[in-house]
Amino acid sequence: MSKSSIKYLDPLVIRKLKNIEIKAKLIVEGFITGMHKSPYHGFSVEFAEHRPYNPGESLRNIDWKVFGKTDKLYSKRYEEETNLRCQVVMDISDSMRYPQKADMTKLEYGAYLSAALLYLMIGQRDAAGMTLFDEQIQFYAPPKSKYSWLIPIFQRLDAEVNRAEFFTKKTSTAEVLHQVALKFHRRSFVVLITDLFGSSSDMEPLYQALQHLRHEKHEVLVFHLLDRQTEEQFNFPNRPIILQDLESGEKIQVQPQQIREQYREALSKHFARFKQKCLQLNVDFVEVDIAQPYDKALADYLVKRRVIR
């Protein structure tokens, strides 16, 4: 891999995470032998149950031992093991390029988080792909289960992180998720990485898009990235400051101390409604403070996921 391709794969992080299995909580569909349960039954490795033999069926699945004991014909059903298909869908709108003066922006944090997740999925013989979006899908790599597939993905991530322009990429998460829901003909694991800041305060279209994904039987995980100190707590210096919308360029002058409590209350209600909706839709929701190491955020979620299975 080139230097830019491996930038997002810290060997120390991979060693920490490589033994953590990512298994779908819901039954997933697949087509090659792997680690995950399939809703289909066939001639495979794990016995499921007996069922009465129907005349005209193949004789190869008949349990002759049972026939010898009962003088009745029963067929064995097997539960297939299948690979999980994972698609990481990451917001690359300009709001994700905050904060500029910190060690890492939300966009760069998301790139590292995505890279670690993709690497782990392929490492356990699953198929992984990537979608990058703002107002529309800007990059799409369908799920594949080979490491070489990560090279163009990491190169594109690097290009987006280092992009110089501002005020050019707004967000249309709902529209993109509807497109994603229709792209996959097999049940998949869709991981949305976003800051949940869009061009509209109306979240209903986003709820409908998540519902669409669940209706198509996809499992959904939302990693919500934010800089907790400023974006959630509104901890700015107590002096007049100018805030600028990174997507529209609009500026506003505020006195943080005067609006801090009102802002916190409004944002808390906003995200509480979203979390409640995710709970109703059986969508995993994980809040991630970008001040927290990305490998810890991922490891904490994977450990929790393993425990609750």
Side-chain angles (χ1 to χ4, degrees):
M1 289 187 181
S2 66
K3 184 176 180 180
S4 63
S5 300
I6 64 174
K7 171 183 176 181
Y8 298 105
L9 288 178
D10 184 335
L12 295 177
V13 172
I14 296 304
R15 280 201 292 271
K16 290 180 185 177
L17 302 178
K18 68 179 180 180
N19 293 321
I20 301 176
E21 294 180 354
I22 311 171
K23 287 194 173 183
K25 290 188 300 181
L26 306 178
I27 292 178
V28 298
E29 176 184 340
F31 61 97
I32 56 177
T33 300
M35 309 171 63
H36 305 278
K37 300 297 183 185
S38 166
Y40 299 103
H41 296 276
F43 194 65
S44 186
V45 294
E46 186 174 339
F47 174 74
E49 62 181 348
H50 285 104
R51 63 171 178 77
Y53 171 76
N54 294 317
E57 291 182 348
S58 171
L59 298 177
R60 67 178 184 178
N61 290 338
I62 289 179
D63 192 328
W64 295 108
K65 291 183 178 179
V66 173
F67 175 75
K69 294 177 180 179
T70 66
D71 203 31
K72 295 181 180 180
L73 292 176
Y74 288 92
S75 292
K76 291 185 287 187
R77 290 213 306 178
Y78 293 85
E79 192 166 49
E80 291 179 340
E81 297 284 318
T82 71
N83 279 64
L84 177 65
R85 299 167 60 85
C86 174
Q87 187 74 9
V88 178
V89 182
M90 193 173 87
D91 181 356
I92 57 169
S93 63
D94 282 331
S95 68
M96 289 284 285
R97 301 177 69 198
Y98 176 87
Q100 280 291 301
K101 296 182 179 180
D103 293 336
M104 190 179 295
T105 65
K106 290 179 288 186
L107 183 60
E108 189 170 11
Y109 191 101
Y112 279 103
L113 185 63
S114 298
L117 183 56
L118 293 170
Y119 184 89
L120 287 171
M121 299 300 293
I122 291 178
Q124 64 177 35
R125 301 182 304 280
D126 289 315
M130 186 94 208
T131 299
L132 302 178
F133 75 95
D134 42 53
E135 290 183 280
Q136 57 188 355
I137 292 176
Q138 297 294 348
F139 175 82
Y140 174 72
K144 293 188 179 181
S145 53
K146 54 185 180 180
Y147 284 118
S148 61
W149 191 234
L150 297 177
I151 295 176
I153 294 176
F154 293 169
Q155 289 173 337
R156 182 56 185 261
L157 285 172
D158 199 46
E160 290 297 338
V161 168
N162 292 297
R163 183 172 53 83
E165 300 85 359
F166 276 88
F167 318 127
T168 59
K169 291 180 176 287
K170 298 183 180 180
T171 319
S172 295
T173 309
E175 289 83 349
V176 167
L177 290 182
H178 281 300
Q179 295 176 47
V180 168
L182 297 174
K183 276 185 175 291
F184 304 126
H185 301 296
R186 291 184 174 87
R187 296 168 180 174
S188 301
F189 180 33
V190 179
V191 180
L192 174 63
I193 299 177
T194 180
D195 59 4
L196 291 178
F197 290 128
S199 56
S200 171
S201 59
D202 182 10
M203 299 291 280
E204 190 58 37
L206 181 54
Y207 300 152
Q208 293 174 2
L210 291 172
Q211 187 171 20
H212 185 185
L213 284 167
R214 295 294 297 115
H215 178 75
E216 298 295 330
K217 308 302 182 184
H218 301 307
E219 183 180 358
V220 183
L221 162 63
V222 178
F223 277 119
H224 173 213
L225 307 187
L226 77 163
D227 178 51
R228 182 154 284 154
Q229 282 297 310
T230 58
E231 292 183 304
E232 185 178 78
Q233 298 301 318
F234 210 68
N235 288 334
F236 291 102
N238 288 324
R239 55 178 172 77
I241 61 172
I242 295 176
L243 300 178
Q244 185 173 27
D245 187 326
L246 294 179
E247 296 190 6
S248 68
E250 181 181 355
K251 295 181 180 180
I252 182 173
Q253 181 171 315
V254 299
Q255 175 59 264
Q257 190 172 11
Q258 293 179 358
I259 67 172
R260 183 174 292 124
E261 291 307 316
Q262 183 180 1
Y263 172 88
R264 288 175 177 174
E265 182 179 357
L267 194 69
S268 177
K269 290 181 179 179
H270 177 71
F271 289 146
R273 286 194 295 270
F274 184 80
K275 285 191 283 188
Q276 180 61 33
K277 193 65 178 181
C278 285
L279 185 63
Q280 293 172 2
L281 295 173
N282 198 20
V283 168
D284 277 353
F285 178 82
V286 180
E287 285 185 313
V288 180
D289 182 1
I290 63 170
Q292 176 187 30
Y294 73 94
D295 57 305
K296 185 178 187 304
L298 180 57
D300 287 350
Y301 170 72
L302 297 181
V303 169
K304 174 184 175 184
R305 181 185 178 89
R306 182 175 57 183
V307 169
I308 63 177
R309 276 183 61 79

